[in-house]
Amino acid sequence: MTDGERLQTDDSAHKDAMCETILVVISWIIVILTMPLSLIVCFKVVQEYERAVIFRLGRLLFGGAKGPGIFFILPCVDNYTRVDLRTRTCDVPPQEVLTKDSVTVSIDAVVYYRIINATVSITNVANAHQSTRLLAQTTLRNIMGKRPLHEIMSERETISENMQVVLDEATDAWGIKVERVEIKDVRLPIQLQRAMAAEAEAAREARAKVIAAEGEQKASRALREASEVISDSPAALQLRYLQTLHSISAEKNSTIVFPLPIDMLTYFMKALPKE
């Protein structure tokens, strides 16, 4: 910048400052002349969860956002914007996403965020809430498009945390803090749902067959061990007979089968005359 241009710029800034001073003085005169009615217009109130960003002749007023409580504005030269600092909920509409393994799914989410810098949220972005909503939609599509379907179904919490970090970094320049992101629902195509249901059913049947085979194997081992114990001890066989009789008699049966000991039959066979 040349010296002439610099002088011209300084002169223009000086004129703007003088014009602003004159308008402010005139505004104060009007306030004084119209008191106490002017106080109704000059004093404003914002709630505990609100802040007021004041502009004087288009420039941000020194001192930043005002509130909570009462603040003063000059008529004709000041205008202000209320900013709500409470946490807002942003519903991300269902997004058609093509996953990394070429499966089309419909995913929706919810984003919780709040404004932490009222001045920046007004001066750096035209509509902070709309911008956050659109950014959440694009971020959801980008993150889901980089993951296969099985990760989307099983790692929702991890994906939500990653999305929250990405959104928080992007909205920091807008004075917004993204507190939480939740994946609400992942809707699959009907054909894929049927295929996954058939696969799960086949897996359950296979596990049931394996469990049944293991049970039969354990039962056969137990029976073999029991038969070995009974064959080594004749008294054990008699006790088994008595237990069987007790079980039969406990039921309401009209016929009772009395098992004959094998040893008794052997004794009578030996007593028969040999031809």
Side-chain angles (χ1 to χ4, degrees):
M1 181 181 293
T2 62
D3 294 339
E5 292 177 347
R6 187 179 296 108
L7 291 174
Q8 186 177 1
T9 303
D10 294 341
D11 184 60
S12 177
H14 180 68
K15 290 180 179 179
D16 292 342
M18 288 183 60
C19 183
E20 180 179 351
T21 304
I22 293 171
L23 292 175
V24 171
V25 170
I26 294 174
S27 181
W28 273 110
I29 293 173
I30 294 174
V31 170
I32 294 173
L33 292 177
T34 58
M35 288 182 66
L37 296 178
S38 60
L39 298 179
I40 301 176
V41 180
C42 295
F43 286 102
K44 302 293 181 181
V45 178
V46 291
Q47 303 298 325
E48 180 68 28
Y49 52 84
E50 294 177 330
R51 297 295 183 271
V53 181
I54 305 175
F55 293 90
R56 176 162 294 175
L57 297 175
R59 296 181 181 180
L60 185 66
L61 192 65
F62 179 76
K66 306 297 182 182
I70 300 175
F71 63 95
F72 182 85
I73 63 170
L74 284 175
C76 303
V77 296
D78 290 350
N79 62 344
Y80 71 98
T81 303
R82 293 176 183 265
V83 180
D84 195 332
L85 303 184
R86 291 176 293 182
T87 299
R88 285 176 174 255
T89 303
C90 171
D91 286 325
V92 181
Q95 304 293 310
E96 295 290 336
V97 180
L98 183 64
T99 62
K100 189 176 181 180
D101 48 356
S102 300
V103 178
T104 302
V105 296
S106 178
I107 305 174
D108 57 350
V110 58
V111 180
Y112 300 89
Y113 69 95
R114 62 185 178 90
I115 295 176
I116 58 175
N117 192 324
T119 303
V120 173
S121 68
I122 295 297
T123 57
N124 285 14
V125 60
N127 190 329
H129 303 296
Q130 180 68 14
S131 300
T132 303
R133 187 177 297 106
L134 295 176
L135 181 62
Q137 295 178 15
T138 56
T139 304
L140 178 64
R141 288 196 297 267
N142 293 336
I143 291 179
M144 293 301 181
K146 297 178 181 179
R147 293 177 177 269
L149 180 61
H150 67 89
E151 289 187 6
I152 295 176
M153 300 298 294
S154 61
E155 300 181 5
R156 292 192 184 185
E157 292 184 2
T158 303
I159 296 174
S160 299
E161 292 175 358
N162 294 339
M163 186 174 174
Q164 185 266 333
V165 172
V166 173
L167 284 175
D168 190 35
E169 293 178 354
T171 57
D172 185 62
W174 302 340
I176 291 177
K177 170 67 177 177
V178 178
E179 298 177 334
R180 189 181 182 89
V181 177
E182 291 291 341
I183 305 298
K184 292 172 59 178
D185 191 16
V186 178
R187 287 182 287 275
L188 306 176
I190 301 300
Q191 297 81 358
L192 185 58
Q193 292 181 16
R194 293 174 180 172
M196 293 179 65
E199 181 181 358
E201 182 67 23
R204 285 193 295 269
E205 291 180 358
R207 286 196 298 268
K209 291 180 180 179
V210 170
I211 293 173
E214 292 177 353
E216 291 180 359
Q217 185 179 10
K218 292 179 181 179
S220 62
R221 290 177 181 176
L223 288 174
R224 184 184 65 182
E225 294 174 359
S227 64
E228 291 176 354
V229 172
I230 291 174
S231 62
D232 294 338
S233 176
L237 181 60
Q238 298 298 327
L239 291 175
R240 183 61 178 169
Y241 285 159
L242 294 175
Q243 184 180 4
T244 304
L245 287 174
H246 182 269
S247 300
I248 294 173
S249 62
E251 298 178 1
K252 296 180 180 180
N253 296 326
S254 59
T255 303
I256 297 178
V257 179
F258 185 80
L260 213 63
I262 303 298
D263 295 339
M264 185 181 294
L265 295 176
T266 305
Y267 174 76
F268 284 111
M269 290 178 66
K270 291 180 179 179
L272 293 175
K274 296 182 180 181
E275 297 180 357

